[in-house]
Structure formats: C-alpha cells, structure tokens
C-alpha cells in the first residue's frame, strides 16, 4: 500500500457469518464478494478484518426484519509502517425470500470499507448505497460498478488535500439512477480521528460533567481506558468520541473501538489504550491480568478505577459550588457596577472593580458543561421547566421535538467550543517559547533528547508563564504531567512545522488554529475572557448551522410551512428535496429530519402538530423511496418498527372509551396516520413492488409510458398523439385497464380480437442454472432452471397519481395456467464471483485465514 496516488478507500468486503450446518452455531465468516479484484496486499497487512467485522461472533443469530436495526461502527488497523487505517462497517440483513424483506429469519451481513481517511459519514452513505443497490438491482453488478466508478475517480482526483474532493456519478452510469449522484469529502484534517465526524455530546449526556472531565484528564494523560456497552453502535461511537474530544491533540497509542472476542488478551496490554468491548465480553476478561485502568460504562455512565491508577484531576476545587458561586458573583457584581456607572453618567472604565471576566478556566468549563445539561428539553432543571411552560402557552413556539433539535445542535457546538477554549487558554502561547539562537534564556529543566521535538521549547519558562497567569495548583500539576505525553510531543512537532512553513497550512477551517491566530494578530492578553470571546467569534453559529444535523427545506416542509402554497410550489419543494438527497452533504440531514418527525408523531400519539408533521414526513419518505437514490431504502429499513407503531395509533384511538376518545380528539388527535403509514410500510418490505414502481417513475421521468399489447411491448413517447389521447382521456386516478388500451389501439393499428382467458404475453429468457439464487436462512441453494417465461400481463398498473408515479401490484397469482411462472426480478439474482451479489461459490480471499 505504497502507491503514489492513494485512492479514497483501499478495499471493500461483503462478509456473512458461516456455520457448518443449520443446527450449529455461527463460528466463522465467508467473504461473498470484494472490491477491487486484487486485495492481496490488504489481506497481507490485515488478516483480522473478518474478526473485526464480527467481533461478537458467538452472539450472531437469526433475526427478523421487524426487530432488527442496522449497526454502524468503526474499527482501526495499523500496518507495518504504523499507518492508521479505518474499517467503516454496516451490519444489516440482506434479502428475504422472494425479495420480501420481512420474510424469513436470517443473520446480518457486514459491509466493510477499509480506508485511510476518517470520513465516517461519507463511507456510511456509500455502504447504504451498496446495500440498497444489492437489494434493488435489476441486473447483476450494479454495486460493483458503483464502487468502481468512485475508486477510479479517486485515483485521478488526488489533489491538494486541504480542499474538498467531489466525486460525481452521472445518472446514465448506473441503471435506474434518476439524477447525478455527488459525494463530497470533508476538508482535509491532519487529525487521526476527524473531530467533525463524531458527536461527543452523547458521551457528556451519559457521563455527566464530573465523570466526563475525569475521562478527559485520563485520556490526555494517556491512561488505559476500557469502554463497555451492550450495543456495538454506542460502544464504537463512545470510543471515537473519546478520541475526538482531544482536538487539537490526537491519540497516539492502541485504539480499538470494538475488540473481537478472540483478541481479548489486548485488554491486558501494558501500554496506554482506548478499547471498547461489549458487556458480555468483559465478563470473559481475567480481572487479575488487566492491571490498572479506568472502566467507562457507556450505557450507565459509571466510571471505575481498577487497581492503583492515579488520574490527575485538573478541575479540583474549581468544581465546588463555592468556587462557581464566586465566579458568578463577580460577573453579577460587574454588571451591577456597569449599570450604576451608566445611571451616574460615568463610563464603565471608571468602575473600581475592573472586572476582566472569569479567572479560573476549569470553573468556566464546568459551568459551560453544566449549563448544557441543565438546558436539555425535558429535564427537571429550572431552565428546561421554564422553556416547557413557555412552549405550552398559546403561540408558545416550537414543539418538544424541535426544541430537542435546537438543543442538540447548540449543545454540540457549545461543548466543542468549551474544550477548545480550555486548550487555547493553556497552549496558545506555546510558540512564544520556541528556543532560537537569539533566546535570552535557553535553560530547560526538562531533559529531552535532541530528536524529541519538545527539546526545541523552553518548557520551564512555559510553566512559569502558566503560574503567572494564576492557574490553580491542580491545573499546573496536570500540565506538568501532560508535557511528558506522546500526544504533547507530536503537538510540539506540529508547532515547529507550522512555524517554519506557515503558508502551507490552511487554518480557516480549524477552530483552534484560527483562534490562536486571532489572539496573536490582535495582541490580546491570553486571559479566559479574551480566549472565550475569540473562540465564540470564530465558531460557526449553531442555529445558522442547523443544517449540520437537519435539512432546512425538509424541516420546513414537514412543519407545514408550505401547506397554503400552490400545488406547483409544493411539488417544486418536494422535487428539490429529492434532488438534494443525491448529494451526500444533504442525504443524512434529510433522513435525520424525517426520523425526528416520526419520533414526534409516535410520542404525541399522532396528535396535534407533531402528528401532522409525522404524516407529512411519511408522505415525503414515499416520494424519496420512488425518486431518491437507492440508499434511501437501506436507511429507511430502520423505520419499519416505528412506522408499525404509527399504524397502530388508530387502533389505540379506537380502543378508547367515549369520554377518553373525546378528550383525545380535543387535544388535536390526528387519526389519518394509518393509510400513509401502511403505504410506506408496504414499500419498505415488498421490494419487488418498490423496484417496479421506481422503474415506472424512471421511465416516466425520461419521457416514456410503458404500455403492453397482445403482439409487442412498446414505449410510447409522451409527445405521441395516441399516448396523449389515452392519458388525457382518463376519467379517474386509476391507470387504464388492458382492455381499454387494446380498444383504443385496435382501430389504429389493426389489432386482432383476442380471448383474454387464453392470452399470455411474455418473454422467454435463457439463464444459467448456476446463476439463480434462492434466499433463505442458510447458504444459497441453486435452482435447476433453464428457460423461464415472464408473463407481462401479471404486472398490473394501478393508482396513477399527480407526479406520474404509479403504484404497481406486481405478479398477481390469478393465472393458474403458467407452469414456469416466476418473479422476473429473480432472474437478476445471479450470483457469481464476478458479481456484487451474494455468492455460494465466490472465492473468499480470507479462506485460508478463517477462524473457527
């Protein structure tokens, strides 16, 4: 892996668990297909990829679609040259029988991308697209073609890493793609873990302020930290968050977000590490061998120190109520003094107090973090209760779900800003202590080797500066220990590089660097007040950046802002959302917004504005399934459970007594959720129906109406006079029947009369018996079929709606004369080693390395 042009990703693997027979447990894995064809170099470096994809192999079991949610996690690998690679994984069910997602119990498959880049959101979207293409493809190789296009573009698009790279897939490059797909990489970051790709707010929520800062101190001082949790998604995200909150520093030691059971001995490693294990795995670790470490429970928030580990607490007395009250009193006294001076006609500078803001950085961070948790909607804090009372007043504003949205965005920003303030306050002046030939004081009580970048700094003078700033004893002790860490050494090396080559670094997108630059350019004293002001000025506004998590037009549309607009206006908004979904910068935001609306609809019982917003979200999701990228399907499969709950909201209403029902309606009950919810649920589980509807929408968008006749199957252009007569002559929203089409065409093209009972329209397709798959709980079973006839009359077109999309009921079972009748979509389930589908005979590159 030493090529000059490094691709966006190194390899892709589709892996499924394997067992010897239907009654035995899953004990190994099988690679069903991979990309590129030659992955020998990747496998040579990383032989444990299957184990990391299924670190919990002993827990793998058959699952049902209605209770199975996707799992997204990341693991890390290090090659012989100590280069860090990431394995970005999606674990999800594959096809059910007859391509119905809700039929048959089966194990999850794992889709894994091996890459050098920490673009977790981008790769997650790619995995969703690959999974959806494999579910919906009408011809083999679509997912492989998708990967090949991106891979080849990344080889020629290697440029300045500080800029975004855009990959485009034209709509004519993939079958049934309605618009061009666009993937945009994040701006380059020198961090080993991208501080923007991982949210650290959930870690603060579960741990609380004191334990969160204890964890921060332990990680900065390079202690051994073991995370435990039940869910792999929560476990992986917690370990990644612990590394992400270190910015501008980066973790330099063992980093394993998910530790496979067969590698549990790593927990006894004597060097610093950040490791995540599932709770049942932790029970298997020999406690006498693990030594001193900090155990963090990512589910309950408990933190336990095992052994004699000592964690330097930089907060100390700063977290005490008296200390925080003192800081708050100084702030209030300064405001009162300013108001008094204003009333007396004096300038604020004449105040005798000269308040310069908070003096204790640790107390400032503690106050900011506590304010975040106290302001959470639904909590018992005074701020939260007050906001809830205001919301319940007439015209009180946002719903609880919308308040949570705002809180999440604002709180993530505030949390990151607080950590940056802490680091800027301490280390912004470090460059002033670089030893040069003109330095007056070159003495340094710390002895580092010449090869150590820390030897280029007068660390002793730096610490004396910190004492003169009034830092607490606890903070000074923490700094004294931190300067011996490998993280600080790498940070010093980066400072030296930047001082020698200041032009090559683009700091506009790095909050820490831009804040340090502003303090230097404005020659501001590095006190807490100035640092906080500069960081807040440099930081992007949370509400202005609400798109960081949610899509603004989807948010507005589901809120009902456009309900009073014209039909054309609403259609224009929906079309714009569908087009945006083809861009990775908007895709996840759109689906997160819809998810938030569905949660609100369920929580409100389908009542009021939240219920209406949920119905709009369901209708919009249906449009996206038909008009959006394939990846909409894989993401939306996690909605099956909540949509089923929304379907039963009507049943809950029907079970109410008369008095309760009246009260339910008086609160703004929305009982129209059942039909739209059933409609979208049908598409999510009946993939043959979804495939045909998407095909019809595509043909309609490209200017075709698919019609069948007794002699041929033709595509009539929209501008054809006969087609226009047929469409414009419809008297209902139902698509015209076959009889009507035949009656209209007969006098014009001299069609003969026919006996409908004996009529059979179809095509005979030659297929290889080895290319047909029958999905079930176990490995694929090959059918012996050579000639298959597809009866085109078995595809009924109904429900012609306003967007030319057709709800299609495929493959009716009322034709008993067809002996070889099959689902025509099964013709494309051809599985072989050169396809992107599941293959029972595919060559497993890890076959010689399978663990049993």
């Amino acid at each position: 892996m030493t090529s000059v042009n490094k691709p966006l990703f190194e390899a892709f693997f589709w892996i499924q668990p394997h067992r010897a027979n239907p009654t035995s447990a899953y004990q190994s894995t099988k690679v069903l297909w991979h990309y590129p064809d030659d992955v020998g170099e990747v496998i040579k470096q990383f032989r444990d990829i299957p184990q990391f994809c299924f670190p919990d192999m002993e827990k793998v079991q058959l699952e049902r679609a209605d209770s199975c949610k996707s799992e997204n996690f990341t693991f890390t690998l290090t090659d012989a040259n100590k280069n860090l690679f990431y394995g970005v994984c999606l674990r999800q069910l594959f096809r059910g029988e007859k391509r119905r997602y809700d039929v048959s119990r089966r194990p999850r498959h794992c889709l894994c991308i091996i890459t050098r880049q920490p673009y977790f959101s981008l790769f997650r979207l790619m995995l969703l697209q690959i999974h959806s293409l494999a579910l919906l493809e009408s011809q083999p190789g679509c997912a492989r073609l998708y990967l090949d296009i991106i891979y080849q573009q990344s080889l020629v698009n290697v440029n300045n890493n500080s800029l975004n790279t855009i990959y485009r897939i034209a709509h004519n490059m993939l079958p049934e793609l309605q618009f061009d797909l666009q993937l945009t990489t994040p701006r380059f970051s020198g961090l080993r873990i991208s501080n923007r790709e991982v949210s650290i707010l959930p870690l603060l929520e579960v741990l609380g302020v004191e334990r969160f800062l204890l964890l921060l101190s332990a990680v900065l001082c390079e202690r051994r930290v073991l995370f435990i949790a039940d869910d792999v998604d929560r476990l992986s995200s917690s370990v990644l968050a612990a590394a992400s909150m270190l910015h501008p520093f980066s973790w330099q030691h063992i980093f394993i977000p998910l530790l496979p059971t067969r590698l549990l001995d790593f927990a006894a490693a004597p060097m610093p590490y950040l490791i995540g294990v599932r709770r049942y795995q932790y029970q298997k670790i020999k406690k006498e061998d693990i030594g001193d470490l900090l155990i963090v429970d990512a589910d309950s928030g408990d933190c336990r120190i095992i052994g004699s580990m000592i964690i330097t607490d930089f907060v100390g007395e700063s977290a005490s109520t008296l200390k925080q009250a003192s800081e708050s009193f100084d702030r209030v006294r300064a405001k009162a003094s300013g108001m008094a001076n204003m009333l007396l006609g004096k300038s604020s500078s004449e105040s005798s107090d000269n308040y310069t803001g908070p003096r204790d950085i640790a107390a400032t961070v503690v106050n900011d973090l506590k304010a975040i948790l106290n302001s959470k909607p639904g909590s018992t804090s005074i701020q939260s209760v007050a906001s809830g009372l205001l919301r319940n007043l007439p015209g009180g504003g946002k719903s609880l779900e919308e308040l949570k949205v705002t809180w999440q965005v604002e709180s993530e920003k505030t949390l990151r800003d607080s950590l940056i303030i802490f680091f800027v306050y301490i280390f912004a002046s470090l460059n002033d202590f670089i030893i040069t030939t003109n330095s007056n004081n070159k003495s340094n009580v710390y002895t580092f080797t010449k090869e150590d970048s820390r030897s280029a700094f007068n660390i002793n003078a730096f610490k004396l500066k910190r004492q003169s700033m009034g830092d607490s004893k606890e903070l000074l002790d923490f700094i004294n220990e931190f300067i011996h860490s490998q993280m600080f050494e790498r940070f010093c090396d980066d400072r030296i590089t930047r001082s020698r080559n200041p032009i090559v670094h683009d700091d506009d997108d790095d909050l820490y660097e831009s804040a340090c630059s502003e303090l230097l350019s404005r020659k501001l004293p590095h006190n807490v007040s100035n640092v906080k002001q500069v960081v807040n000025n440099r930081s992007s506004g949370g509400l202005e950046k609400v798109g960081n998590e949610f899509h603004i037009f989807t948010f507005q549309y589901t809120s009902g802002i456009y309900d009073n607009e014209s039909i054309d206006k609403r259609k224009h908004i929906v079309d714009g959302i569908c087009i945006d979904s083809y861009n990775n910068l908007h895709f996840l935001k759109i689906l997160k917004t819809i998810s938030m609306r569905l949660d609100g609809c369920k929580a409100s019982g389908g009542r009021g504005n939240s219920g209406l917003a949920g119905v709009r979200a369901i209708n919009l999701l249906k449009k996206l399934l038909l008009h959006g990228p394939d990846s909409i399907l894989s993401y939306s499969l996690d909605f099956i459970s909540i949509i089923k709950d929304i379907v039963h909201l009507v049943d809950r209403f029907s079970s109410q007594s008369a008095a309760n029902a009246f009260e339910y309606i008086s609160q703004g009950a929305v009982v129209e959720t059942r039909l739209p919810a059933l409609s979208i649920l049908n598409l999510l589980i009946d993939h043959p129906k979804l495939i045909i509807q998407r095909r019809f929408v595509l043909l309609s968008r490209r200017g075709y109406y698919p019609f069948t006749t007794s002699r041929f199957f033709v595509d009539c252009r929209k501008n054809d006079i006969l087609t226009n007569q047929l469409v414009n002559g419809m008297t209902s929203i139902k698509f015209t029947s076959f009889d009507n089409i035949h009656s209209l065409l007969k006098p014009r093209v001299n069609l003969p009369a026919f006996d409908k009972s004996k009529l059979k329209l179809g095509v005979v397709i030659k297929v290889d018996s080895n290319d047909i798959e029958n999905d079930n709980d176990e490995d694929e079973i090959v059918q012996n079929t050579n000639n298959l006839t597809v009866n085109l009359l078995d595809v009924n077109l109904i429900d012609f709606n306003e967007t030319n999309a057709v709800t299609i009921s495929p493959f009716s079972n009322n034709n008993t004369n067809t002996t070889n009748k099959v689902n025509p979509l099964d013709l494309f389930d051809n599985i072989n080693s050169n396809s992107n589908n599941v293959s029972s005979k595919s060559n497993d590159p890890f076959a010689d390395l399978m663990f049993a």
Side-chain angles (χ1 to χ4, degrees):
M1 285 176 270
T2 57
S3 60
V4 176
N5 287 353
K6 298 181 178 64
L8 180 63
F9 62 94
E10 306 300 315
F12 167 83
F13 298 96
W14 187 307
I15 305 176
Q16 79 168 19
H18 178 71
R19 58 184 178 182
N21 57 72
T23 60
S24 62
Y26 290 97
Q27 296 179 337
S28 62
T29 61
K30 182 172 64 174
V31 176
L32 303 179
W33 68 280
H34 57 81
Y35 182 90
D37 292 333
D38 183 12
V39 292
E41 192 172 352
V42 175
I43 295 174
K44 182 180 178 181
Q45 292 277 8
F46 311 122
R47 300 190 173 193
D48 296 328
I49 289 176
Q51 299 186 49
F52 281 100
C53 290
F54 288 94
D56 50 356
M57 176 59 67
E58 61 273 21
K59 290 293 185 179
V60 173
Q61 59 185 355
L62 304 179
E63 300 183 65
R64 299 191 63 86
D66 56 357
S67 59
C68 178
K69 286 198 172 184
S70 63
E71 295 176 338
N72 300 275
F73 59 91
T74 303
F75 61 84
T76 58
L77 302 165
T78 306
D79 66 6
N81 298 321
K82 297 184 178 181
N83 296 315
L84 189 64
F85 290 78
Y86 302 95
V88 184
C89 298
L90 167 67
R91 292 205 308 198
Q92 181 63 290
L93 297 180
F94 194 42
R95 297 173 185 162
E97 290 186 8
K98 302 298 182 182
R99 285 205 181 189
R100 281 191 62 94
Y101 192 73
D102 60 335
V103 178
S104 80
R105 294 165 62 244
R106 53 203 186 275
R108 301 172 190 258
H109 290 195
C110 183
L111 287 66
C112 176
I113 288 178
I114 305 298
T115 177
R116 300 169 183 262
Q117 307 296 339
Y119 304 152
F120 305 132
S121 297
L122 174 66
F123 291 121
R124 181 191 176 191
L125 177 56
M126 288 179 59
L127 292 174
L128 289 171
Q129 181 70 14
I130 295 168
H131 184 252
S132 296
L133 284 171
L135 288 173
L136 298 179
E137 64 181 3
S138 57
Q139 54 185 289
C142 291
R144 177 176 290 275
L145 177 60
Y146 170 78
L147 281 171
D148 187 63
I149 294 172
I150 297 175
Y151 188 88
Q152 298 301 329
Q153 285 189 29
S154 68
L155 291 178
V156 299
N157 284 344
V158 176
N159 50 26
N160 183 0
N161 285 333
S162 65
L163 302 176
N164 302 93
T165 302
I166 299 176
Y167 304 97
R168 288 189 175 89
I169 302 178
H171 65 275
N172 57 355
M173 298 178 72
L174 281 177
E176 302 180 16
L177 198 63
Q178 298 185 32
F179 300 99
D180 294 351
L181 271 175
Q182 178 172 310
L183 297 176
T184 304
T185 64
R187 293 179 65 88
F188 175 78
S189 174
L191 302 176
R192 304 184 82 188
I193 297 293
S194 175
N195 65 307
R196 300 179 183 181
E197 291 289 316
V198 181
S199 175
I200 57 180
L201 178 62
L203 195 58
L204 173 64
E205 288 186 79
V206 70
L207 294 180
V209 175
E210 289 77 12
R211 289 189 289 264
F212 179 85
L213 294 178
L214 176 69
L215 173 63
L216 177 62
S217 180
V219 176
L220 286 170
C221 294
E222 298 181 336
R223 298 293 191 262
R224 300 162 71 241
V225 184
L226 185 69
F227 292 81
I228 60 175
D230 291 319
D231 180 68
V232 294
D233 199 344
R234 176 187 289 269
L235 182 61
S236 174
S237 61
S238 297
V239 181
L240 290 171
S244 176
M245 66 183 182
L246 301 178
H247 180 64
F249 304 96
S250 59
W251 183 257
Q252 303 293 323
H253 303 281
I254 297 176
F255 182 77
I256 309 177
L258 284 173
L259 184 66
T261 301
R262 299 178 182 275
L263 301 178
L264 286 180
D265 289 343
F266 272 73
M271 63 282 293
Y273 62 63
L274 296 178
I275 291 179
V277 297
R278 295 187 66 179
R279 193 174 307 278
Y280 79 91
Q281 292 175 313
Y282 176 69
Q283 306 301 327
K284 300 180 180 181
I285 298 177
K286 296 179 180 179
K287 307 302 185 294
E288 62 273 13
D289 295 338
I290 58 178
D292 302 337
L293 79 161
L294 173 66
I295 296 180
V296 178
D297 191 323
D299 292 328
S300 66
D302 292 336
C303 292
R304 292 184 291 122
I305 297 177
I306 303 297
S308 57
M309 173 184 288
I310 298 176
I311 300 176
T312 303
D313 182 12
F314 63 81
V315 177
E317 294 298 322
S318 299
S320 67
T321 304
L322 182 61
K323 179 71 173 180
Q324 295 178 55
S326 175
E327 292 280 350
S328 300
F329 178 75
D330 289 344
R331 187 162 54 250
V332 172
R333 185 176 61 177
K335 290 183 178 180
S337 177
M339 293 179 62
N341 288 333
M342 181 181 65
L343 293 174
L344 295 174
K346 299 180 181 179
S347 65
S348 59
S349 60
E350 296 180 41
S351 172
S352 59
D353 290 320
N354 282 332
Y355 176 73
T356 59
R359 296 183 292 273
D360 191 323
I361 184 62
T364 300
V365 173
V366 169
N367 282 330
D368 289 345
L369 269 55
K370 286 187 175 180
I372 290 174
L373 297 181
N374 290 336
S375 62
K376 181 179 180 179
S379 70
T380 57
S381 65
I382 296 177
Q383 298 97 313
S384 179
V385 172
S387 63
L389 292 174
L390 291 175
R391 177 168 51 86
N392 291 328
L393 293 175
K398 299 179 179 179
S399 66
L400 179 61
E401 290 72 32
E402 291 174 300
L403 289 175
K404 288 181 178 179
V405 170
T406 304
W407 178 81
Q408 289 174 352
V409 176
E410 282 290 294
S411 297
E412 182 72 29
K413 169 189 175 295
T414 303
L415 176 55
R416 291 190 177 277
D417 288 355
S418 297
L419 295 175
I420 291 296
I421 290 169
F422 176 75
F423 292 126
V424 170
Y425 172 76
I426 298 175
F427 299 105
S429 61
L430 184 62
N431 281 22
D432 297 340
F433 300 95
I434 296 178
I435 299 175
T436 63
T437 55
N438 298 325
S439 298
N440 295 326
N441 184 5
K442 301 180 183 180
S443 63
N444 196 339
V445 297
Y446 297 94
T447 56
F448 299 108
T449 62
K450 291 184 179 180
E451 294 77 15
D452 194 320
S453 57
R454 289 171 291 188
S455 63
F457 293 82
N458 191 332
I459 301 299
N460 186 47
F462 169 72
K463 187 173 179 180
L464 291 174
K465 173 65 178 298
R466 299 312 322 159
Q467 290 178 345
S468 67
M469 293 291 294
D471 293 347
S472 65
K473 180 181 181 302
E474 293 84 1
L475 185 57
L476 291 174
D477 291 342
F478 165 78
I479 295 173
N480 186 53
E481 182 172 358
F482 179 69
I483 60 179
H484 293 282
S485 67
Q486 192 171 341
M487 270 188 288
F488 184 69
E489 178 188 357
R490 292 296 179 91
F491 181 74
C492 290
D493 184 67
D494 182 66
R495 296 302 97 187
I496 295 174
T497 302
R498 287 176 176 272
S499 64
R500 294 173 180 173
N501 305 285
I503 300 179
V504 301
H505 298 282
D506 183 8
D507 296 335
D508 291 339
D509 217 32
D510 189 310
L511 181 56
Y512 175 85
E513 301 296 345
S514 61
C516 291
S517 298
E518 182 171 339
L519 283 171
L520 179 63
S521 62
R522 295 174 59 184
K523 298 180 180 180
L524 295 174
H526 293 186
N527 56 46
V528 177
S529 181
N530 287 337
V531 169
K532 192 169 186 177
Q533 180 182 4
V534 168
V535 170
N536 289 336
N537 290 341
R538 285 283 183 171
S539 178
S540 301
L543 289 177
E544 296 175 0
K545 285 285 206 171
V546 69
N548 285 345
E549 293 292 332
F550 298 95
H551 188 255
I552 185 63
F553 289 109
T554 305
F555 191 89
Q556 293 176 345
Y557 178 82
T558 54
S559 297
I561 292 179
Y562 304 107
D563 284 357
N564 295 326
E565 299 288 345
S566 64
I567 295 178
D568 290 340
K569 173 70 173 180
R570 296 200 303 270
K571 184 177 183 300
H572 176 73
I573 295 296
V574 172
D575 288 344
I577 295 173
C578 291
I579 294 175
D580 280 354
S581 67
Y582 284 81
N583 188 322
N584 71 298
L585 299 180
H586 302 294
F587 175 87
L588 290 178
K589 304 173 191 176
I590 293 173
L591 272 299
K592 284 181 180 180
T593 309
I594 291 177
S595 178
M596 179 268 297
R597 293 303 190 191
L598 296 179
D599 289 338
C601 180
K602 176 184 174 181
S604 66
R607 294 176 295 182
N609 291 331
S610 295
L612 287 172
V615 173
R616 297 186 193 100
I618 291 174
N619 292 330
L620 179 59
L621 181 59
K622 182 175 181 180
K623 296 290 185 182
L624 289 168
L625 281 171
L626 298 179
H627 298 264
D630 302 79
S631 49
I632 295 288
L633 172 62
S634 286
Y635 193 104
S636 301
L637 292 176
D638 287 344
F639 295 154
I640 289 178
S641 176
I642 190 172
I643 290 177
K644 281 188 174 182
D645 291 337
I646 293 175
V647 168
H648 294 302
L649 289 178
V650 177
D651 298 334
R652 288 170 50 192
F653 166 71
S654 302
S655 64
Q656 302 283 335
S657 64
N660 291 338
F662 178 79
E663 180 182 359
Y664 191 85
I665 295 177
S666 66
Q667 296 177 14
V670 179
V671 296
E672 301 88 14
T673 58
R674 187 182 186 91
L675 289 179
L678 282 174
S679 176
I680 194 68
L681 184 62
N682 195 22
L683 290 179
L684 290 177
I685 62 179
D686 192 346
H687 294 169
K689 176 178 291 188
L690 177 60
I691 292 171
I692 295 178
Q693 290 200 35
R694 285 179 60 88
R695 172 66 62 85
F696 190 91
V697 169
L698 176 65
L699 293 176
S700 177
R701 184 175 295 280
R702 293 181 178 177
Y704 291 87
Y705 286 123
F707 293 141
T708 58
T709 72
S710 60
R711 292 284 183 85
F712 47 80
F713 182 67
V714 295
D715 289 324
C716 297
R717 287 281 186 179
K718 279 183 180 179
N719 57 8
D720 182 81
I721 297 177
L722 182 59
T723 305
N724 288 331
Q725 290 179 358
L726 179 64
V727 176
N728 294 331
M730 293 181 188
T731 57
S732 70
I733 63 172
K734 295 288 185 181
F735 198 84
T736 187
S737 67
F738 184 87
D739 291 342
N740 290 340
I741 297 176
H742 189 275
S743 299
L744 185 62
L745 293 176
K746 181 178 178 180
R748 291 172 171 77
V749 294
N750 197 24
L751 290 178
F754 65 92
D755 184 352
K756 188 175 180 181
S757 63
K758 298 181 179 179
L759 182 63
K760 179 180 179 181
L761 308 180
V763 291
V764 178
I765 302 178
K766 261 315 228 195
V767 294
D768 187 349
S769 61
N770 292 327
D771 288 342
I772 299 187
E773 165 198 26
N774 178 26
D775 292 290
N776 53 32
D777 291 348
E778 307 305 324
D779 294 340
E780 293 71 28
I781 301 175
V782 176
Q783 298 176 342
N784 293 321
T785 307
N786 293 322
N787 293 333
L788 299 177
T789 301
V790 180
N791 190 354
L792 298 179
L793 285 184
D794 287 337
V795 181
N796 303 319
L797 307 181
I798 61 173
D799 292 348
F800 191 70
N801 62 33
E802 73 277 5
T803 60
N804 294 337
V806 173
T807 302
I808 300 176
S809 178
F811 320 126
S812 60
N813 297 320
N814 53 12
N815 190 341
T816 60
N817 297 324
T818 305
T819 57
N820 285 331
K821 182 177 175 181
V822 296
N823 184 336
L825 298 174
D826 290 341
L827 301 177
F828 303 110
D829 291 349
N830 106 4
I831 309 302
N832 53 57
S833 58
N834 295 321
S835 167
N836 60 288
N837 288 310
V838 184
S839 174
S840 58
K841 59 179 181 179
S842 105
N843 297 322
D844 187 348
F846 294 93
D848 297 333
L849 307 172
M850 288 173 59
F851 53 95

